[in-house]
């Protein structure tokens, strides 16, 4: 199994600012995934972060708005830039288990933009 | 296109009664199937998963799920619901391929009445 520490757990930010979310895993993983969960909605994949290469973004998500860093095999950050109230969501990082047998999730970051 | 459908947005069950949460998937090949639970303010916890073999899988907290290929379904069941089971339940599908994120259904909110 993998233990994921995600910070911060919650934050309230002013519109126009940015928030950087950190995700630390207790073991080395190839892929890390970032999801967004809007209020009352399911999880939507934002991007896949592979160490040593640019993140791959899903349709509707762009690097300028959601820049991702992946400096090593245990850490990643997601920045949500130029915040607007529509960005108020829970953001979760995830890693897969061995042989893609399970996905492990951080506790999530609850972002409120005011 | 790959997708997961959870037809029931919200279900209320009396404590001690049985529970069935529905999940249908659309996938080109035999997928990996998962059920996750999310309690308020918590991350996602894996309840159970199906890869192959016995189509009835047992999970944690007394949950089970049955894979029915002919119906493209993976319904979650519990014979006797406890008040602590009140949460959001997500069905997810994943490919038999490492490095690929899961696709989630929209979730079913379970309320338990006394």
């Amino acid at each position: 199994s993998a233990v994921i520490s995600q910070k911060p757990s919650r934050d309230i930010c002013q519109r126009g600012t940015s928030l950087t979310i950190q995700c630390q895993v207790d073991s080395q993983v190839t892929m890390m995934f970032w999801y967004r969960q809007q209020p009352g909605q399911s999880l939507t994949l934002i991007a896949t972060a592979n160490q040593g290469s640019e993140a791959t973004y899903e349709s509707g998500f762009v690097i300028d708005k959601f820049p991702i860093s992946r400096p090593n095999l245990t850490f990643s950050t997601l920045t949500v830039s130029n915040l607007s109230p529509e960005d108020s969501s829970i953001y979760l990082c995830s890693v897969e288990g061995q042989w893609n047998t399970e996905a492990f999730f951080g506790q999530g970051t609850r972002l409120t933009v005011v | 296109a790959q997708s997961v459908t959870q037809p029931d947005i919200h279900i209320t069950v009396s404590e001690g009664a049985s529970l069935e949460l529905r999940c249908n998937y659309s996938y080109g090949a035999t997928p990996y199937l998962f059920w996750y639970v999310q309690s308020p303010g918590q991350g996602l916890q894996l309840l159970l998963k199906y890869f192959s073999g016995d189509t009835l899988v047992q999970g944690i907290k007394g949950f089970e799920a049955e894979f029915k290929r002919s119906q493209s379904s993976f319904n979650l069941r519990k014979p006797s619901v406890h008040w602590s089971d009140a949460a959001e339940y997500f069905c997810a599908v994943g490919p038999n391929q490492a490095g690929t994120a899961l696709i989630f259904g929209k979730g079913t909110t379970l309320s338990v009445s006394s």
Side-chain angles (χ1 to χ4, degrees), chain A residues 35 37 42 96 100-103, chain B residues 36 38 49 51 95 97 99 105:
Chain A
Y35 289 86
Q37 185 180 19
S42 185
E96 64 182 5
N100 197 33
T101 57
E102 182 177 346
Chain B
Y36 284 85
Q38 184 180 37
K49 56 191 176 185
F51 299 143
Q97 180 179 352

Side-chain angles (χ1 to χ4, degrees), chain B residues 28-80:
Chain B
T30 300
Y32 289 174
L33 295 160
F34 307 83
W35 274 99
Y36 284 85
V37 60
Q38 184 180 37
S39 298
Q42 302 296 311
L44 275 76
Q45 181 182 24
L46 179 69
L47 286 175
L48 47 77
K49 56 191 176 185
Y50 172 79
F51 299 143
S52 63
D54 192 347
T55 57
L56 184 63
V57 294
Q58 303 296 322
I60 63 171
K61 303 183 180 184
F63 286 93
E64 66 179 26
E66 185 172 11
F67 170 61
K68 293 184 177 180
R69 184 188 304 273
S70 61
Q71 299 177 19
S72 297
S73 69
F74 189 57
N75 295 347
L76 181 71
R77 301 195 294 251
K78 186 170 185 177
S80 178

Side-chain angles (χ1 to χ4, degrees), chain B residues 82-96:
Chain B
H82 188 262
W83 65 265
S84 61
D85 293 324
E88 187 83 12
Y89 291 80
F90 293 98
C91 181
V93 60
N96 182 4

